[in-house]
C-alpha cells in the first residue's frame, strides 16, 4: 500500500513539473514577440532619418546635381555657355585723319574691330582741293555713279552684328568710295550706324543715301562730329545708342 501511495505522489510531481515548464515556454515566446513588435517601427524610423554615407564627404545642395521634374539630371550651370555679345566693326574712310580719330574712340569704347577704307589710288592734296572744279574729288562727287576702287577687304563681314561707318562730309555727302564699300557687302540683319566729321556741315542726307545702298539692315540715327570732338562727346553718343 505504501508503495502505491509513493508511486501516485511521484506521478503527481512529474505532471506538475511538466505543466510549469510548458507555461514558462509560452510566456517566453509571448514576451519576445511583444518586444519585436514594439521595436520594429522605431528601428525603421531611425533608419529613415540616417543619411547614407557618401565616401566620407558631405555633399551640399550647391554641389549636388540639379534634377529636373522628369527625374533627369539637369546640366550644371557652369556647363551652360554664356550668350556671346554683339560683334562690332568700325569701318571708316579718313582722307586727313580727322575721321580716324573718332573711329578709334568708338572702337576702343565698343571693343570693336577696325577697318580703314583705303583707296586703291591714294588721294593727293590736289585731288582734295574742293576749290578746283577739275580736282578728282570734285569730279567724283559730281557723278553719283562714281565708285572709286578700294584696296583690300573686310575679312569675314558676316561675323559682325553692328557696323559703324564713318566718313568726312564732301559736298554734303559721304565720299563716293564709301558707297563702294556699302555695295561690296551684305548688311542684311546688321545694325548700321553712320557718323561723320566736318567743320560745319551736318550729317544731312548722307546716312539715308547710304542706307538706300543696303537691304535688310537696321539703320540708327547718325552723328556729326567737329574736328575737335572730345572723347567724352563720342562716349556720350555711344551710350545714348543703347546698343
Amino acid at each position: 500500500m505504501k508503495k502505491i501511495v509513493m508511486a501516485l505522489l511521484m506521478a503527481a510531481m512529474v505532471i506538475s513539473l511538466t505543466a510549469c515548464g510548458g507555461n514558462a515556454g509560452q510566456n517566453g515566446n509571448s514576451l519576445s514577440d511583444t518586444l519585436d513588435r514594439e521595436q520594429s517601427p522605431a528601428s525603421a524610423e531611425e533608419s529613415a532619418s540616417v543619411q547614407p554615407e557618401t565616401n566620407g564627404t558631405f555633399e551640399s545642395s550647391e554641389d549636388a546635381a540639379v534634377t529636373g521634374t522628369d527625374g533627369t539630371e539637369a546640366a550644371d550651370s557652369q556647363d551652360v555657355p554664356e550668350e556671346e555679345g554683339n560683334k562690332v566693326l568700325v569701318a571708316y574712310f579718313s582722307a586727313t585723319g580727322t575721321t580716324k580719330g573718332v573711329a578709334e574712340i568708338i572702337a576702343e569704347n565698343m571693343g570693336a574691330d577696325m577697318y580703314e577704307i583705303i583707296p586703291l589710288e591714294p588721294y593727293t592734296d590736289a585731288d582734295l582741293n574742293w576749290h578746283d572744279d577739275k580736282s578728282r574729288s570734285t569730279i567724283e562727287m559730281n557723278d553719283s555713279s562714281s565708285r572709286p576702287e578700294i584696296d583690300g577687304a573686310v575679312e569675314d563681314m558676316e561675323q559682325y552684328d553692328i557696323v559703324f561707318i564713318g566718313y568726312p562730309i564732301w559736298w554734303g555727302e559721304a565720299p563716293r568710295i564709301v558707297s563702294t564699300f556699302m555695295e561690296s557687302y551684305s548688311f542684311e540683319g546688321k545694325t548700321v550706324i553712320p557718323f561723320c566729321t566736318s567743320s560745319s556741315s551736318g550729317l544731312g542726307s548722307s546716312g539715308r543715301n547710304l542706307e538706300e545702298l543696303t537691304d535688310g539692315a537696321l539703320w540708327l540715327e547718325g552723328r556729326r562730329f567737329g574736328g575737335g570732338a572730345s572723347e567724352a562727346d563720342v562716349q556720350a553718343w555711344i551710350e545714348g545708342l543703347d546698343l
Side-chain angles (χ1 to χ4, degrees):
M1 182 67 179
K2 189 175 182 178
K3 291 181 178 181
I4 294 173
V5 173
M6 290 297 292
L8 292 173
L9 290 173
M10 291 294 292
M13 291 178 63
V14 171
I15 293 172
S16 176
L17 291 173
T18 302
C20 290
N23 291 335
Q26 293 175 359
N27 291 338
N29 289 337
S30 298
L31 179 60
S32 177
D33 290 343
T34 302
L35 290 175
D36 287 345
R37 286 195 296 271
E38 290 177 354
Q39 292 177 354
S40 293
S43 299
E45 184 178 354
E46 183 179 358
S47 299
S49 63
V50 176
Q51 299 296 324
E53 294 183 2
T54 55
N55 298 327
T57 61
F58 175 75
E59 186 176 1
S60 69
S61 58
E62 294 180 356
D63 297 331
V66 179
T67 303
T69 56
D70 58 354
T72 59
E73 186 174 327
D76 189 286
S77 58
Q78 295 181 353
D79 295 334
V80 179
E82 294 183 0
E83 184 178 352
E84 295 183 358
N86 290 320
K87 187 76 172 176
V88 184
L89 174 69
V90 179
Y92 68 96
F93 168 68
S94 186
T96 62
T98 303
T99 305
K100 179 180 180 180
V102 176
E104 288 175 339
I105 297 174
I106 296 173
E108 182 178 355
N109 281 268
M110 295 295 296
D113 294 338
M114 293 185 69
Y115 174 77
E116 182 176 5
I117 301 171
I118 300 176
L120 185 63
E121 181 184 349
Y123 288 95
T124 65
D125 290 342
D127 291 336
L128 299 176
N129 183 5
W130 59 277
H131 294 290
D132 184 359
D133 292 340
K134 295 182 179 181
S135 70
R136 176 183 169 189
S137 59
T138 302
I139 294 173
E140 288 178 354
M141 296 309 297
N142 284 333
D143 181 6
S144 60
S145 64
S146 177
R147 295 293 184 269
E149 291 187 65
I150 296 174
D151 185 12
V154 176
E155 294 183 5
D156 191 14
M157 174 63 90
E158 293 183 358
Q159 68 178 310
Y160 297 105
D161 306 291
I162 299 172
V163 178
F164 285 84
I165 178 68
Y167 48 86
I169 291 293
W170 287 2
W171 288 266
E173 292 288 343
R176 301 303 182 196
I177 194 169
V178 179
S179 297
T180 306
F181 175 82
M182 302 308 298
E183 292 179 341
S184 298
Y185 306 94
S186 171
F187 290 86
E188 185 174 0
K190 302 182 188 301
T191 298
V192 183
I193 308 104
F195 66 95
C196 71
T197 58
S198 72
S199 57
S200 58
S201 300
L203 188 70
S205 61
S206 63
R208 292 192 299 274
N209 292 337
L210 292 176
E211 181 179 358
E212 292 178 357
L213 303 178
T214 64
D215 292 319
L218 172 63
W219 282 72
L220 301 185
E221 186 69 25
R223 169 74 183 270
R224 172 257 176 189
F225 294 96
S230 67
E231 183 173 352
D233 289 339
V234 179
Q235 287 178 338
W237 173 62
I238 295 173
E239 292 174 0
L241 294 174
D242 194 25
L243 297 173

